[in-house]
Amino acid sequence: MNKNEETAWYDKARGKTARKPKPQKKENKAHTPSGPAHTPSGPAHTPAGPARQNRPNRINRPKRTKPMFDAKNIPSDSALIIQNFDSIAAEVLNLSSKQKILLAKNIKELSHRLTDDRSDRRLGYMNDASTIASYINYFMWWNLVRLTRLFSNLDKDALDLDDNSICLDIGSGPLTIPIALWLSRPDLRSKKLTFYCMDLSQTALATGEELYLSIASKTLKENQEPWKIIRVKGALGTRIKEKADLITSGNMFNEIVQTSQMPSDYLAKKYTEQLLSYSNNANKNARILIVEPGDPHSARLVSLFRDSLMRSGFNPLAPCPHFAECPMQGRTTANPGGKWCNFAFDTGDGPAKLLALSRNANLSKDRAVLSFVLAKKSDGSELKAFKNAKDSGPLSLRIASDFIRLTELHKSGYYACSQIGLVLAVDMSGVHPANGDLVKTKMPDSIKELKRDKKSGALMLNI
């Protein structure tokens, strides 16, 4: 199959002729993104099973819920690309017939290296052609599914960037986060942005730039140009020429801390300082985004990053609905059964070809899971206003579990993060929120009088 045939699916579906921008400037991941995320923690009581038919009917959900992973918010042109991402990858990678046949086998071997054999993995492993082909066709594809769901549902001002903003993606690999942002945030496509993409693998960066340009050529409108990509070969700490207004990192820090003997709180503080060294201090709206797998260790690390960022003057924009202490800090010495902050959605409506490839590689994925924090620089006024208004006005709950069958109450419950602490939200009014939803409810008249869940210690609150 030649290149024109491989791209015909998109041109035919969109009824347009794609124009491909020219490759851009190079500059001499920190670690590349890790493999698939783990499943979320099991809730107390009786957790509901994963089967879609066993879940509560979510039709006609109240408007007081705001979703985190609603696929309907992904732009239609991007949804088409995500469904057929393998065609774009085949065009860029120029895989032979033999390589395509061996793809499922190589993906399974790479999964073993990324998850079970991490200590033996060499730095810069993404420079190998077979490895990068496997990574892009499985891990990157799944990461794009996760990230586009997340980014397209963030508030518009959460990622508001001005023209000529400088962005830095650390541990960029094949530019997964920049591509996910392009696909999910059409409001940013018209902005003149410069993306410094940093990784140990020059091969991954070069391939990622080709993927980005191929995708951009299919989605650009009149008078729009692709973002400027500057490839930076190096690890976290490598210098770049400009300070960044947006700093992003995907699935990188969990890999770094695995090779360190230092405690996680120390490492979070250390790496926060390194991130801040890249930040544009002159920009009062500078942002930092950290996304990690949804396993307990990574979620604990994200919570520590949140705390360290707040101590450095960056307040969380998402997913946290408050500026109080994180009530889902994960498993600690003081609280070995502590809940960790992660979010998940079912993958049954994911790309059909990706689901089939996953089955062929014996790596079927029923759930997509992540932990993240998006923080914005603050002058202190927002935190002061929050403290003054605490325990008054409406209460925001970030749902952080699937529904739980509360057998004694004959109701469904959900663990949730809130400014009053960890909450077990009891669904008395048929809200049926999904994992990750933001729910608005009434602040209880007396927090002290709320009952506590015996198993988790969470405050029990009717919604």
Side-chain angles (χ1 to χ4, degrees):
M1 181 182 296
N2 61 40
K3 184 176 294 187
N4 291 334
E5 291 173 326
E6 288 175 334
T7 58
W9 61 267
Y10 189 86
D11 295 336
K12 181 178 180 180
R14 298 294 295 169
K16 61 180 285 187
T17 302
R19 57 187 180 91
K20 185 171 182 179
K22 296 180 180 179
Q24 299 165 23
K25 180 180 178 182
K26 301 179 184 178
E27 182 176 320
N28 212 44
K29 133 183 161 193
H31 290 68
T32 49
S34 67
H38 296 70
T39 54
S41 60
H45 311 285
T46 306
R52 192 179 302 272
Q53 62 269 26
N54 291 335
R55 297 177 182 243
N57 188 348
R58 291 182 53 212
I59 297 175
N60 297 325
R61 285 169 49 205
K63 291 183 179 179
R64 59 191 176 110
T65 66
K66 185 181 185 304
M68 177 180 285
F69 295 121
D70 191 348
K72 294 179 181 178
N73 289 327
I74 298 176
S76 58
D77 57 351
S78 298
L80 182 62
I81 286 173
I82 295 168
Q83 289 290 330
N84 296 279
F85 180 72
D86 60 323
S87 297
I88 296 176
E91 172 191 346
V92 170
L93 295 169
N94 195 25
L95 297 179
S96 66
S97 298
K98 182 178 181 180
Q99 287 174 315
K100 292 177 181 179
I101 293 173
L102 295 174
L103 197 55
K105 175 179 176 291
N106 292 338
I107 287 171
K108 187 175 182 179
E109 292 177 353
L110 178 58
S111 176
H112 172 68
R113 291 166 59 192
L114 290 173
T115 55
D116 304 330
D117 206 17
R118 291 173 183 254
S119 60
D120 295 331
R121 189 198 318 156
R122 60 183 175 82
L123 293 177
Y125 64 96
M126 290 278 282
N127 283 315
D128 178 73
S130 175
T131 297
I132 196 168
S134 300
Y135 184 89
I136 287 172
N137 277 279
Y138 180 82
F139 297 105
M140 180 180 182
W141 199 352
W142 273 121
N143 283 334
L144 288 177
V145 171
R146 293 189 309 153
L147 294 175
T148 52
R149 285 278 193 105
L150 174 65
F151 294 163
S152 62
N153 284 280
L154 291 174
D155 290 339
K156 185 175 181 179
D157 59 357
L159 292 169
D160 186 26
L161 296 170
D162 296 329
D163 269 339
N164 302 314
S165 289
I166 303 299
C167 307
L168 168 64
D169 184 39
I170 308 174
S172 193
L175 277 62
T176 305
I177 284 186
I179 290 174
L181 284 172
W182 180 274
L183 288 170
S184 55
R185 306 296 297 207
D187 54 309
L188 295 179
R189 295 177 192 171
S190 60
K191 300 292 180 68
K192 296 179 181 179
L193 305 181
T194 296
F195 254 98
Y196 285 84
C197 298
M198 182 184 296
D199 198 277
L200 287 173
S201 171
Q202 188 66 263
T203 303
L205 291 172
T207 307
E209 183 177 10
E210 287 298 313
L211 286 169
Y212 166 70
L213 292 173
S214 178
I215 289 170
S217 71
K218 296 172 174 59
T219 51
L220 283 169
K221 296 182 179 179
E222 289 297 325
N223 301 320
Q224 288 185 345
E225 294 293 333
W227 299 330
K228 182 180 181 182
I229 304 297
I230 301 178
R231 306 200 304 259
V232 183
K233 185 179 185 300
L236 176 65
T238 302
R239 292 184 61 186
I240 62 173
K241 294 180 179 179
E242 301 172 274
K243 295 296 185 180
D245 304 294
L246 171 66
I247 300 171
T248 61
S249 171
N251 295 358
M252 178 187 73
F253 287 107
N254 75 92
E255 292 192 359
I256 297 179
V257 300
Q258 287 171 1
T259 61
S260 176
Q261 301 299 316
M262 302 303 294
S264 296
D265 54 350
Y266 168 83
L267 294 174
K269 181 180 179 181
K270 171 186 174 182
Y271 294 131
T272 296
E273 291 174 353
Q274 286 189 288
L275 291 175
L276 294 176
S277 70
Y278 289 112
S279 184
N280 182 4
N281 293 326
N283 185 351
K284 297 180 180 179
N285 295 312
R287 290 166 169 80
I288 295 176
L289 170 67
I290 299 171
V291 185
E292 293 291 336
D295 61 88
H297 182 76
S298 299
R300 167 69 176 156
L301 186 63
V302 169
S303 178
L304 292 170
F305 267 116
R306 175 191 186 271
D307 179 71
S308 187
L309 286 167
M310 289 193 70
R311 293 176 186 274
S312 302
F314 280 72
N315 290 335
L317 293 176
C320 318
H322 60 85
F323 299 151
E325 182 180 0
C326 176
M328 305 187 76
Q329 299 181 31
R331 297 169 180 170
T332 64
T333 303
N335 185 15
K339 299 297 178 185
W340 60 89
C341 179
N342 63 2
F343 307 98
F345 60 90
D346 293 340
T347 60
D349 59 350
K353 289 183 286 185
L354 176 57
L355 293 172
L357 178 62
S358 301
R359 289 192 297 269
N360 291 338
N362 293 320
L363 293 171
S364 295
K365 186 186 293 291
D366 297 324
R367 312 264 291 162
V369 192
L370 56 79
S371 296
F372 78 101
V373 62
L374 171 63
K376 176 184 174 184
K377 190 174 181 180
S378 173
D379 59 5
S381 60
E382 293 174 331
L383 183 59
K384 183 177 179 180
F386 169 77
K387 291 180 177 179
N388 291 337
K390 190 176 182 182
D391 301 341
S392 64
L395 177 65
S396 295
L397 305 175
R398 178 67 76 179
I399 304 299
S401 77
D402 292 334
F403 83 93
I404 307 159
R405 294 189 181 96
L406 305 178
T407 53
E408 293 182 0
L409 299 176
H410 302 289
K411 296 292 181 181
S412 296
Y414 307 80
Y415 284 119
C417 169
S418 79
Q419 68 185 59
I420 64 174
L422 180 65
V423 166
L424 178 58
V426 182
D427 193 359
M428 302 295 290
S429 56
V431 179
H432 302 323
N435 194 318
D437 279 8
L438 188 66
V439 178
K440 297 284 187 179
T441 191
K442 181 179 179 295
M443 179 71 71
D445 295 331
S446 175
I447 298 173
K448 293 182 179 179
E449 293 182 4
L450 293 176
K451 295 181 180 180
R452 286 192 178 271
D453 173 45
K454 294 179 181 179
K455 294 186 178 181
S456 65
L459 294 168
M460 298 186 68
L461 181 67
N462 294 341
I463 60 173

